[in-house]
Amino acid sequence: MAERRDWHALEGAQALAELASSREGLSTAEAKARLEMVGPNRLPPPPRRGPLARLLAQFHNVLIYVLIAAAAIAAALGEWVDAGVIAGVIAINAVVGFIQEGKAEQALDAIRNMLSLSALVLRGGERRRLPAEQLVPGDVVLLASGDKVPADLRLLEARNLRIDEALLSGESVPAEKSAAPVDAGAPLGDRACLAFSGTLVSYGQGRGVVVATGAATEIGRIGALLETVEEIATPLTRQLAVFGRWLTAAILLLAGATFALGYWLRGFSAADMFLAAVGIAVAAIPEALPAIVTVALAIGVRRMARRNAIVRRLPAIETLGSVTVICSDKTGTLTRNEMTVQEVVLGAATQQQFARAALLCSDGQDPTEKALEALSLEAGLQPAREY
């Protein structure tokens, strides 16, 4: 089963023939064999830093390097109190960052576990509800309103089928789907005979054959591209790096000037002037600055968490605070993508009946039906009692 990129240009029967499948789906034995060959239908986990790497990353800062050097020099000179204070600041800074990033990783893992997806599949002509991870190319999947598409599908049937593809195209309006093939050069948004993994069925029903799973899906390709994006420094980390370099240069210049003036102009011994220069260098280092910055960012992370926004790395908080302009192609991309009833043009006596009819006729999946259901709740109706 060679990978193709032009499934949208094939007739449904051709796609089934290419995949050695049929409208009744694969047999259980064939599906098992293909699963062993292509692997489970899931995206490869993103590369993650282990606990040790995450801890060491907390020390990757110019100011921290300066503090470590200051603590080492203070300890070498027998200034154990100063060395202990500096080491304590370094440790607090590392622990706070390590714990906060660990909580973010745990929250993300919990969300991934909540998104366990299943699919209604035809196996040997029989309908079966299976975990989406068990899907393979050639499986025939049945779609209905409210379903999340479990893999990339070449649609074989589409009955008033509309799919929300906002995560791929940014379009807030669900795309109308059909089983008819389109031109091979059609852009992604115009491939009406394809249903893409991770998109949501807003309305209607459909049947499609799986043409790609896991990393081979469109959403999988986007994930692979994101992994190649170069990580850039945030404004705060850049400013701190510049400040750290200037501070280090200033401290070394001041300490060197102190040693030179005392040794050559005042006649003090080299040992005494070395101790004096080191004392000045240690005193000039703002030991609390890294810890203050880390604590401030951690507070920002907690505030974002209360607003249901999970931030994996602390500097991202400052990046959000530095945003001044958001560029968007249209308003819909930034809205909640929800519909609401603004006005009911009916007499007061019939509005309650309209709300009750809307509630009874709604399955709560289509955006329009959700809006009508919300209207019925505002009218004081209770779904459990009305049904």
Side-chain angles (χ1 to χ4, degrees):
M1 292 179 295
E3 182 180 347
R4 299 187 60 139
R5 297 300 305 276
D6 60 346
W7 294 105
H8 53 283
L10 301 181
E11 294 284 349
Q14 290 179 281
L16 287 171
E18 287 275 347
L19 295 164
S21 183
S22 68
R23 298 180 70 87
E24 287 70 39
L26 302 172
S27 66
T28 301
E30 176 64 19
K32 183 178 179 181
R34 295 190 184 190
L35 183 61
E36 293 178 354
M37 181 173 61
V38 301
N41 174 36
R42 58 170 177 255
L43 297 178
R48 295 178 54 177
R49 297 181 298 179
L52 180 59
R54 197 167 74 243
L55 178 62
L56 293 177
Q58 310 305 318
F59 300 95
H60 185 50
N61 184 290
V62 175
L63 286 178
I64 298 297
Y65 296 155
V66 174
L67 290 180
I68 293 174
I73 293 173
L77 297 176
E79 301 292 337
W80 300 109
V81 175
D82 290 343
V85 170
I86 298 173
V89 170
I90 296 172
I92 292 173
N93 178 80
V95 169
V96 171
F98 177 80
I99 292 176
Q100 189 59 57
E101 291 188 8
K103 289 181 178 179
E105 293 286 355
Q106 292 174 3
L108 290 173
D109 288 339
I111 291 176
R112 294 189 189 102
N113 293 333
M114 290 172 60
L115 297 178
S116 56
L117 190 65
S118 62
L120 187 59
V121 185
L122 289 179
R123 289 278 172 89
E126 297 181 359
R127 297 190 178 197
R128 298 184 184 180
R129 177 69 64 175
L130 299 175
E133 290 187 353
Q134 297 182 13
L135 292 182
V136 295
D139 265 326
V140 174
V141 177
L142 302 178
L143 299 176
S145 178
D147 288 347
K148 182 171 286 188
V149 180
D152 282 2
L153 309 177
R154 170 56 172 94
L155 294 173
L156 305 174
E157 298 176 8
R159 294 185 290 276
N160 297 322
L161 184 62
R162 298 177 185 175
I163 298 180
D164 181 358
E165 297 179 345
L167 90 154
L168 290 176
S169 65
E171 295 292 337
S172 60
V173 179
E176 294 187 9
K177 296 294 182 177
S178 72
V182 297
D183 185 74
L188 190 68
D190 293 339
R191 299 175 185 177
C193 59
L194 295 184
F196 299 104
S197 177
T199 57
L200 184 66
V201 178
S202 300
Y203 189 80
Q205 296 176 325
R207 175 188 300 208
V209 58
V210 176
V211 297
T213 60
T217 62
E218 288 297 329
I219 194 68
R221 292 188 179 95
I222 293 176
L225 291 175
L226 290 176
E227 291 182 5
T228 64
V229 175
E230 182 180 356
E231 187 173 334
I232 61 175
T234 67
L236 178 63
T237 54
R238 289 198 299 267
Q239 293 169 6
L240 287 177
V242 172
F243 173 74
R245 288 193 293 269
W246 278 103
L247 178 64
T248 302
I251 290 174
L252 292 176
L253 182 61
L254 179 60
T258 301
F259 180 88
L261 289 174
Y263 181 70
W264 279 295
L265 295 182
R266 297 295 182 179
F268 292 106
S269 67
D272 290 339
M273 290 315 303
F274 179 77
L275 291 176
V278 170
I280 292 175
V282 172
I285 296 174
E287 294 92 346
L289 180 59
I292 292 173
V293 170
T294 300
V295 171
L297 294 178
I299 293 173
V301 169
R302 292 180 64 85
R303 289 179 177 176
M304 292 293 289
R306 287 198 293 267
R307 295 175 178 267
N308 300 320
I310 298 175
V311 179
R312 178 180 294 179
R313 298 188 183 180
L314 295 181
I317 286 293
E318 186 271 336
T319 304
L320 292 173
S322 299
V323 173
T324 56
V325 177
I326 297 178
C327 299
S328 173
D329 60 343
K330 56 187 173 299
T331 306
T333 305
L334 300 179
T335 65
R336 297 180 63 181
N337 201 20
E338 295 179 354
M339 298 176 65
T340 57
V341 176
Q342 297 295 316
E343 184 179 3
V344 179
V345 187
L346 290 172
T350 58
Q351 287 190 10
Q352 190 76 3
Q353 297 177 4
F354 170 77
R356 186 170 187 273
L359 178 61
L360 292 174
C361 295
S362 169
D363 61 6
Q365 301 295 336
D366 180 81
T368 303
E369 294 177 346
K370 289 181 179 179
L372 293 174
E373 187 174 297
L375 172 67
S376 67
L377 296 176
E378 292 178 2
L381 301 177
Q382 297 296 326
R385 185 171 68 245
E386 295 301 327
Y387 287 131

